[in-house]
Amino acid sequence: MDGQTQVQEVYAASAARLVAQLFAVTGDYAEAQDAVQEAFVRVLARPGRLRQVDNPEAWLRTIALNVARSRYRRRAVFDRLVRSGRLAPTGQGVPELSPDHVALVAALQRLPRATREAVVLHHLADLPVAGVAQALGCSVEAVKTRLVRGRRALAADLTETENIGGAAVSGSRDRGVRHA
Amino acid sequence: MPELDFRGPDFRGPDFRGLDSAAQAAFRPHFADVLHRARRRRRTRIVAAVVTGAAVLAGGGVAVAQLPARHALPPADSPTPTPEFLPAPDPAASARAQAPGRRTRYGPTQAGDLDRLYVRYGDCRDRDCAPGVAVSADRGRTWQKIPLPVPVNSLAALYPTGPRTVAVRVQTQLAAPGGTITGEKFWLTSLDGGLTWRRAELRQVPALPAGARVPDRMPGPDRDPLITVDPSTGDVLQLAHRSTLRSARFVESIPVDAGLWVSGSTGASTGPDSRISYTGSAVEVSRDGGRSWQRYVFPEQIVSNDDFGGVAVASHNGQTAYAVGRVGATLRIYRTVDGGRSWQRTAATAQVGERRITAAVRSDGTLVVQAGLDAGENPVMFTSTDRGNSLQPVPLGPGASAVPVPGGYAQSGWPQSSAVWLSVDGDDWSHVAPPD
């Protein structure tokens, strides 16, 4: 089986999961799709490298996260949009989310980036704490700290969200600050 | 701090699982977009490399001989450019317009022999592609398209194992609840040159038949044991055991009557970033169809490719063979004259940077070495006519990735191109493009 076919197999098996995880990290479905596609494009340049990694999906997730991080740093205008309290602008292919899920994505965006990534990798990607530490290049203790803080922040944020009207909160908060 | 797990039944937190399912369900896989973007990126890199090269030439800092005019790049708008650094006799052949919304995508053209050629294709309309195999019995002058009896959007990898014997590895793609993709894997084989296909039985055997043509597949034989097709039954025969080498690659450039050769490494270690480092470059040879293997471990870590496999191995007779790779940035050649039982390092060397290495031996015994496989690596090519003791730079052209087929040699242009190069002697090559 040639390298491209192997990459295509990984794409078929993993792309949807990766997009869901990147969506939770970025809050922008189009951005998530683009970051994941970019990760696969980079792998296609050297498809043989897939055979060097034990877990191709984990490796692609790392690439996609790096793509999303570096793009975010270049998007100051995006910051301004989110500081206004709105979710990141979304393009075509936006998933049909329930109000609870919209609120969750919005709350995730208000977490510090490192905390947000730890929460997403643990809860959406189903990585154990040690796996999150490996993926993010930090200690297990640091991951545990981020998860505790993330849980508290989400609990407080989502409780408040429920109290003031569900998903509408994602467009009505003044204090919502997106962390890079 | 105790181990945290918010996913337990006691945690009534946010509905991550539901968010995950909803986001996955919205995803519409379209690998063609990834391919298109990769091709566009590749062309951009090539143009940048050409511009950079021109600047170097203009400044007088010439390190590598300028390519002859016949090695001109194909047009940038070619959807399937021929290998960028190789002659392109008919670059327009693959650039003909197709009806909007409908197109045919081709895989690599592969040779059953010098006349019988096979290429998998997808007859695509919007986002659905119906797989098939295009066959030619006259060296690419005429083609016949044969749809494969598989579901739309199935993945197909094609492996000729004889002039008229072909196998296709199929993986179907079926959407499952939650937006995930599942699939079934099976083999199809044809014994009549690709005209008819049947679902093949996969039989594990302790040894492959003598003289069987074995395709080089990915993943390599350390993960997926070697296979061939029984030309009398159409069954796929698979070795019962995997290669014990790590990151192994079947050596397809060895004649079929010279045994089975596998290149790889004896050890591996996993780094903190999940990357694997391989150690102990080695070649294994089996002369009994894979029942037993004789291993030779080279005295230094010599690799041909940072991605997979160990050294590049080439031979035209199975007795005198060459193992070519690099140690750091320095090209190394080892030679065996006893069919791989013992190897000696030759005096030839060159500085090749981190380029990937391929090697082949022409019918007259000339060793051909190429360092750099695509234009972005700024490839260079050498030949040796004194059994690997010295190297002479030569203009780029086909030949270093040649594999023997009945009647001569074939070199695939994949993944840069769907075309194939054919030669009787490994020196004089003709270019064959897929249909359309």
Side-chain angles (χ1 to χ4, degrees):
Chain A
M1 187 173 292
D2 57 67
Q4 180 178 310
T5 305
Q6 193 183 16
V7 174
Q8 191 168 3
E9 283 192 357
V10 176
Y11 181 86
S14 303
R17 281 195 294 271
L18 292 172
V19 167
Q21 293 156 20
L22 267 291
F23 172 52
V25 168
T26 64
D28 183 332
Y29 200 76
E31 179 75 17
Q33 286 182 302
D34 200 56
V36 171
Q37 187 181 84
E38 174 64 22
F40 277 94
V41 167
R42 293 183 184 184
V43 169
L44 264 181
R46 291 287 182 89
R49 287 197 190 280
L50 267 186
R51 303 196 62 231
Q52 284 189 297
V53 297
D54 284 337
N55 186 338
E57 184 171 316
W59 185 47
L60 280 153
R61 184 190 302 116
T62 299
I63 297 173
L65 281 171
N66 282 336
V67 169
R69 288 169 188 148
S70 55
R71 284 182 182 172
Y72 184 82
R73 283 193 286 270
R74 294 194 296 266
R75 293 177 59 182
V77 64
F78 194 74
D79 254 39
R80 290 198 299 273
L81 287 171
V82 180
R83 283 198 187 98
S84 71
R86 287 176 286 161
L87 262 181
T90 50
Q92 295 179 339
V94 180
E96 293 181 7
L97 299 181
S98 69
D100 284 350
H101 293 154
V102 172
L104 174 55
V105 174
L108 282 168
Q109 307 317 301
R110 287 187 283 273
L111 297 178
R113 178 123 202 161
T115 301
R116 187 187 333 142
E117 290 181 354
V119 169
V120 169
L121 292 181
H122 187 60
H123 292 294
L124 260 78
D126 267 342
L127 295 187
V129 172
V132 176
Q134 187 176 31
L136 297 181
C138 61
S139 68
V140 167
E141 291 306 314
V143 172
K144 290 178 178 177
T145 301
R146 291 174 193 176
L147 290 176
V148 168
R149 290 175 179 168
R151 177 191 178 184
R152 287 175 182 159
L154 286 176
D157 203 347
L158 293 171
T159 301
E160 186 179 349
T161 299
E162 289 172 5
N163 290 341
I164 60 176
V169 72
S170 60
S172 63
R173 302 173 70 89
D174 293 332
R175 65 174 177 81
V177 177
R178 181 187 173 111
H179 296 262
Chain B
M1 185 179 293
E3 177 75 7
L4 295 174
D5 187 350
F6 297 157
R7 295 165 300 199
D10 293 336
F11 176 61
R12 299 179 185 277
D15 181 17
F16 289 104
R17 191 72 63 224
L19 172 61
D20 186 34
S21 297
Q24 285 199 44
F27 179 67
R28 297 290 175 266
H30 196 208
F31 192 67
D33 287 344
V34 177
L35 289 178
H36 178 71
R37 190 160 160 179
R39 289 189 182 118
R40 197 173 54 202
R41 181 79 48 82
R42 191 180 305 128
R43 286 199 293 269
T44 303
R45 275 207 314 268
I46 292 163
V47 170
V50 170
V51 171
T52 304
V56 171
L57 289 170
V62 182
V64 178
Q66 186 177 9
L67 300 183
R70 73 189 182 96
H71 295 137
L73 296 174
D77 58 351
S78 171
T80 54
T82 51
E84 288 82 356
F85 51 90
L86 299 177
D90 185 17
S94 58
R96 292 169 191 147
Q98 297 187 343
R102 179 172 183 170
R103 59 179 304 185
T104 303
R105 303 179 190 279
Y106 290 99
T109 300
Q110 299 181 66
D113 58 22
L114 281 190
D115 291 317
R116 293 191 173 274
L117 305 177
Y118 304 91
V119 56
R120 65 172 161 83
Y121 68 88
D123 189 10
C124 303
R125 190 186 297 269
D126 298 326
R127 295 198 167 191
D128 289 331
C129 294
V133 175
V135 301
S136 172
D138 54 10
R139 206 170 292 200
R141 293 182 189 88
T142 61
W143 292 88
Q144 184 176 0
K145 287 185 175 178
I146 311 294
L148 286 173
V150 299
V152 168
N153 294 330
S154 294
L155 306 178
L158 185 140
Y159 306 104
T161 61
R164 298 166 64 87
T165 307
V166 198
V168 171
R169 175 72 159 157
V170 177
Q171 180 181 357
T172 62
Q173 294 193 85
L174 303 172
T180 57
I181 303 294
T182 62
E184 179 191 13
K185 294 181 179 179
F186 57 89
W187 287 91
L188 297 175
T189 56
S190 171
L191 302 179
D192 58 3
L195 299 180
T196 60
W197 295 86
R198 74 173 185 87
R199 195 153 169 161
E201 181 182 350
L202 178 66
R203 286 200 287 128
Q204 293 204 325
V205 294
L208 299 179
R213 181 173 163 189
V214 176
D216 172 27
R217 300 185 300 135
M218 289 184 68
D222 54 328
R223 302 201 180 181
D224 209 356
L226 300 175
I227 63 107
T228 191
V229 176
D230 183 335
S232 60
T233 64
D235 292 345
V236 174
L237 308 178
Q238 183 170 44
L239 265 185
H241 302 290
R242 300 175 180 176
S243 171
T244 55
L245 289 179
R246 306 293 300 270
S247 186
R249 191 90 193 261
F250 179 70
V251 180
E252 211 173 14
S253 62
I254 301 288
V256 294
D257 55 1
L260 305 175
W261 296 52
V262 171
S263 173
S265 300
T266 58
S269 60
T270 304
D273 57 354
S274 293
R275 282 184 69 89
I276 300 174
S277 299
Y278 293 99
T279 56
S281 298
V283 170
E284 285 191 342
V285 181
S286 174
R287 291 180 175 77
D288 54 10
R291 195 182 301 269
S292 64
W293 295 84
Q294 183 176 43
R295 175 183 291 187
Y296 181 86
V297 182
F298 294 94
E300 54 189 350
Q301 181 62 16
I302 175 172
V303 297
S304 63
N305 189 324
D306 289 329
D307 293 340
F308 49 80
V311 291
V313 180
S315 175
H316 70 305
N317 59 18
Q319 282 302 305
T320 299
Y322 303 91
V324 187
R326 56 180 168 76
V327 176
T330 304
L331 186 77
R332 289 271 207 277
I333 298 177
Y334 284 78
R335 180 182 60 224
T336 177
V337 294
D338 56 10
R341 293 176 179 84
S342 62
W343 297 77
Q344 291 79 39
R345 186 177 146 190
T346 72
T349 188
Q351 292 303 308
V352 293
E354 295 185 345
R355 294 175 174 90
R356 291 171 288 170
I357 311 289
T358 59
V361 180
R362 296 173 181 161
S363 60
D364 66 358
T366 299
L367 171 65
V368 185
V369 177
Q370 182 175 321
L373 302 191
D374 58 39
E377 291 183 273
N378 192 15
V380 292
M381 184 171 272
F382 308 93
T383 58
S384 175
T385 55
D386 58 1
R387 304 203 313 161
N389 289 318
S390 65
L391 292 170
Q392 295 77 43
V394 294
L396 286 164
S401 299
V403 297
V405 298
Y409 300 86
Q411 176 165 324
S412 172
W414 194 255
Q416 290 88 353
S417 164
S418 293
V420 67
W421 299 84
L422 301 172
S423 174
V424 172
D425 56 9
D427 186 18
D428 188 18
W429 292 87
S430 59
H431 173 273
V432 177
D436 295 334

